[in-house]
Each structure stands twice: as C-alpha cells, then as structure tokens.
Amino acid sequence: MRFLGARFDEEIVLLDRETNSLIRLDRDAVAVWEGRVNAPRCAAETTTNDEGVWAALRTAGLVRNVSGRSVSAAIEWV
Amino acid sequence: MGLRRGTVPAAAPSAAESVDVCGPDWIVDPLRNLFRSVRLAETLPRLEVTVTGDGRWAACQVNGAELWSIPVHRGRWLEALTGQITATMTSLLQRLLFVHAGAVELGGRACLVVGSSGSGKTSTVAALLARGAAYLSDEVALLDPENGTISPFHIPMAIKPWTAKAAGTLPDGIDAARQGPVHFHLPALRGRSCPIGAVVMLERGRGGELARIPPAEALIRIARQPSSFQYAARTEAAFLAWVAALRRAECFEIRSDQAARLAPTIADMMMRNVT
C-alpha cells in the first residue's frame, strides 16, 4: 500500500511511501476524511510542499467529495 | 610538525568499530578526547579521517570509498570536525535511528529536547543536568527501534559563553577539550538507555510556557529535523519507531528565547510522572 498510517487520539499521520513525506491530518481534517463534516477544510500539513503529496492526499480520500474513494484501501495502519 | 595516526574509540569497545584520525597531534589528541566517551549500541564500519598537516583540509573514507573532503575553518576546526564526524556516524547507522536533539534521563525515563541550532537545546540540557538529570546526549539522540529506548551518545557538550550564561550553573564534569571560547564539557553523571518519557520542542519566540502539543505534531516536527527520516532507506523504520515511541510519551513545546529557564518545570513534569 502507498501509505502507512498512525492514529494519535483525534489526529492522523501518514507516511507516503512514494514521496517519503509525512502528512499530518489534524482533528478537522480527520472529520472531513471520515465523512463527519462535509466542508473540505484542508487542515493538514506535510513535511514537503510537493504538489504531488497534495495530489496523493486527495487520491487517498482526504477530500472525500473530490475523490470519493475508500481511504482504508490505500493505507496500512500501524 | 609531524603527522600522527590515532585511534578514536568512538564506537568501541572493539578497535574494528573505531574512527581512525590521521593528522597533526594538535588535531588528533583533542578529537580523541571528544570521542573517547562515546559508545554506540551498534557497530559501524571504520571511519578513516585524514587531516592535512596544516589542518586546513580533511577527508573521510569508509571501506576505501571517500565520503567527504572539506576545507576546515581555522578558528573552529574542532567543533566543525566533531560535527562532521558525528554526522557521518549517524548517516551510517543501520539499526539505531537518530534525530538532532539533546537528551537527558530523569526518573528512569528520557526527556528529548528537540530544536534547530540556536533554539537553546544545549543550555536547556545543561540546566536540566544542573537539576540532577543524567546526561544522554547534546547533539544526537538515538532511538533504538527494537525496544523504544533512547540510547546514549556521550559526546561532550559544546559550551559557548552564551550557552553557559543561559544555563546558569553547569553540571559537574570535566572539560575534554577547548577551542577559543568554546569548551567541550563532559558531564560526570551520565545516563543509560531508557524509555522515552517526554519530548520538548524548542522554538525561538515569546511566550515561555511549557505547552502540551499533539504527538502527531511532534512527529512531524521531529521528521523536519536532521534525522533518519531524511534517509529514504530509513524513513519507514523511523516512522514506525517514532510512532510507537510517541504513543508512550508526553509532548510539549516551549516558544521562548530563554528556554533553559523552564528547566525546573520540565524536571518537575518528568518527576511527577515517575511511578
């Protein structure tokens, strides 16, 4: 799988294996991701500003109303 | 002045795990003193460091391949070479994971002090040592992914005049070397490998409180430091190990130009959680 994911309380950190970047989703971003909030507030940060990371994030389903794909399918949780 | 070859027992106990320095006496001897107390919980390949007779150029080989060749600043060669050799050692780690951080042991657990150069790491570490903590590291904190402990890297602390002033009282110990106003101080009370208890992120600024931060934020900020995260072959191992470590640790930040002043608060927090 492309992403390794770790949950910390209400937040999530992903490791994108393709770019070796870390992506942090704060509680607002997790709420969007889990479909509890509709507004695509991108309250996330990465260790790079690589546009590819953000594209990957969308593909992975952070902004659910853009991709609509299952998040869990792209992530190996640890 | 002749050249001499000296063995720095950096990754000892075995000579096969050492750093060889070839150069003038006035360089070999202080370097030997600085690395004498360093013992790594991992065997590294031998580093062969050669310094020209005038002390102006240094090169390093590992297994016959040159890793670097650099000019050496005349006025701060000891600090520069120590940093270069330390960075080389951390780049060669295959099992342990490193991050640019200080670390002390308090109450049987490690407190990591993470921040960029100039953020007050050394003075904060020194202030914690003055309050009874045991020294683990000043520049490089080592995380053992097998058991989640912080492993010591006992290289002497580079104490600059302003560091000493910010720290207040320096801990008991010996001066292993000196260059100009910088003295390299090895604290007498040195800690052993221990589980991580807290991570304190330092940022310059105003505020000055010890404020709790989410572990996810601490993880991102650790990954932005010079660390094993920057080595593609080690990023996943670093992620897994730091996730496990931070799930057991408390994470804080201090935004202050005088972080060392909060050492008593950090020490109280560490000791409060001792069971």
Side-chain angles (χ1 to χ4, degrees):
Chain A
M1 292 184 192
R2 176 165 177 174
F3 296 96
L4 272 179
R7 279 187 177 272
F8 294 96
D9 300 326
E10 296 178 299
E11 299 200 347
I12 287 172
V13 181
L14 303 174
L15 168 64
D16 183 346
R17 285 166 157 150
E18 286 190 13
T19 62
N20 274 328
S21 298
L22 266 62
I23 304 160
R24 174 192 172 206
L25 311 181
D26 74 4
R27 55 186 297 177
D28 292 333
V30 172
V32 171
W33 192 8
E34 293 178 339
R36 290 185 277 118
V37 177
N38 283 327
R41 293 171 57 189
C42 223
E45 62 174 332
T46 76
T47 50
T48 74
N49 290 318
D50 185 347
E51 281 300 312
V53 173
W54 291 103
L57 204 57
R58 285 192 292 273
T59 304
L62 170 66
V63 185
R64 203 174 264 271
N65 61 351
V66 170
S67 72
R69 291 180 56 180
S70 167
V71 172
S72 59
I75 297 172
E76 178 184 346
W77 293 101
V78 298
Chain B
M1 190 176 293
L3 296 182
R4 188 160 62 84
R5 179 175 293 278
T7 300
V8 178
S14 111
E17 300 168 335
S18 63
V19 178
D20 280 348
V21 182
C22 182
D25 291 352
W26 56 273
I27 280 185
V28 172
D29 290 341
L31 273 178
R32 174 187 289 167
N33 281 341
L34 290 191
F35 283 91
R36 189 185 301 280
S37 51
V38 177
R39 299 286 186 277
L40 285 182
E42 175 179 340
T43 303
L44 294 180
R46 179 186 295 267
L47 275 66
E48 296 178 354
V49 178
T50 305
V51 185
T52 54
D54 60 5
R56 297 200 171 202
W57 203 266
C60 177
Q61 287 194 339
V62 172
N63 297 326
E66 185 170 281
L67 292 188
W68 46 262
S69 178
I70 56 168
V72 180
H73 189 284
R74 189 75 172 173
R76 51 182 296 271
W77 61 267
L78 186 53
E79 198 178 356
L81 280 179
T82 303
Q84 186 75 16
I85 293 171
T86 300
T88 306
M89 292 169 72
T90 56
S91 74
L92 294 170
L93 292 169
Q94 296 292 312
R95 190 180 70 79
L96 296 173
L97 299 154
F98 81 94
V99 63
H100 179 221
V104 299
E105 177 191 348
L106 258 174
R109 297 182 309 144
C111 175
L112 259 59
V113 181
V114 185
S116 303
S117 295
S119 62
K121 277 194 313 298
T122 300
S123 54
T124 302
V125 166
L128 287 166
L129 297 175
R131 295 189 65 85
Y135 180 61
L136 288 173
S137 172
D138 183 26
E139 283 293 315
V140 174
L142 299 171
L143 174 63
D144 189 328
E146 290 182 9
N147 53 25
T149 59
I150 298 298
S151 184
F153 190 86
H154 287 149
I155 199 159
M157 309 169 70
I159 305 288
K160 302 177 177 78
W162 56 88
T163 312
K165 185 178 176 185
T169 308
L170 287 181
D172 291 340
I174 58 167
D175 277 358
R178 177 179 282 273
Q179 182 171 41
V182 181
H183 61 108
F184 295 83
H185 186 75
L186 182 63
L189 184 58
R190 298 194 282 276
R192 299 180 178 178
S193 295
C194 57
I196 189 167
V199 176
V200 179
M201 317 291 309
L202 302 187
E203 294 281 348
R204 295 191 68 90
R206 296 176 186 273
E209 297 300 316
L210 183 68
R212 197 174 287 273
I213 59 170
E217 182 179 340
L219 178 58
I220 288 278
R221 287 162 73 167
I222 286 172
R224 287 184 175 135
Q225 289 292 318
S227 67
S228 301
F229 279 99
Q230 269 84 59
Y231 295 84
R234 307 225 62 208
T235 306
E236 190 164 327
F239 180 80
L240 293 171
W242 281 109
V243 164
L246 292 175
R247 279 177 170 152
R248 295 190 297 269
E250 296 183 272
C251 302
F252 302 90
E253 77 165 359
I254 298 173
R255 288 186 181 272
S256 173
D257 294 333
Q258 297 174 314
R261 288 193 176 181
L262 286 177
T265 308
I266 298 171
D268 288 347
M269 176 272 299
M270 291 292 291
M271 297 309 293
R272 201 167 46 235
N273 293 326
V274 173
T275 55

